[in-house]
Amino acid sequence: MSKTNPSPRLRKSYGPTRCRDVLLAVLGADDRCLSAGEIYRASSASGTRGIGYATVYRILGQLIDEGKVVTLPGKRGARLFRIASDPDDRHSLWCTECGRAQPISTAKIVATMERFAHERGFTDLVHHVSVQGRCRDCTAPSR
């Protein structure tokens, strides 16, 4: 048995799937960060069958590896997810009340952190900047 590239038909089967498209649509519906549970419930509410929690987590893992989705630390250790704005998007400003998130450019902050780490002998750095607070809408007085 020779090891050759899979046939085009087989390669195509590894492309985007219906479940993956549904999860991307759920995440792209607004600018909020969502938990895996929220993504699961929204995908179920859309009438899509066959998307269980394991499928949600598996697809989210693939999307994170591909740089299409970023993850943020949520309340009580839960991870939150949102669509990445570009392949280098790893940093966020997000509201802890409503979940609204915006990517932030952190070039100067990252450069300072990397210099600080290298001065102390650290290498193979991985970083994620997450600024958390409450957005203008959540802090506005009720009318």
Side-chain angles (χ1 to χ4, degrees), residues 29-89:
D30 62 30
D31 60 355
R32 291 184 51 235
C33 294
L34 299 173
S35 69
E38 290 172 316
I39 296 167
Y40 167 76
R41 286 187 292 282
S43 65
S44 296
S46 74
T48 304
R49 296 169 57 171
I51 300 181
Y53 271 108
T55 301
V56 169
Y57 278 108
R58 180 179 47 79
I59 293 172
L60 285 171
Q62 292 169 353
L63 293 169
I64 290 166
D65 290 345
E66 294 168 11
K68 294 181 179 174
V69 168
V70 292
T71 181
L72 301 160
K75 294 178 182 178
R76 289 170 259 156
R79 289 184 350 169
L80 300 175
F81 305 89
R82 69 170 175 78
I83 297 283
S85 60
D86 63 58
D88 295 324
D89 176 5

Side-chain angles (χ1 to χ4, degrees), residues 83-131:
I83 297 283
S85 60
D86 63 58
D88 295 324
D89 176 5
R90 295 183 307 227
H91 312 294
S92 304
L93 170 65
W94 67 279
C95 179
T96 56
E97 191 165 324
C98 70
R100 188 175 128 227
Q102 294 182 309
I104 55 176
S105 176
T106 58
K108 289 181 181 179
I109 296 169
V110 169
T112 300
M113 290 186 323
E114 288 178 352
R115 186 176 60 252
F116 180 83
H118 288 297
E119 287 170 357
R120 284 149 184 83
F122 283 77
T123 61
D124 302 324
L125 303 174
V126 176
H127 50 80
H128 180 88
V129 176
S130 173
V131 180

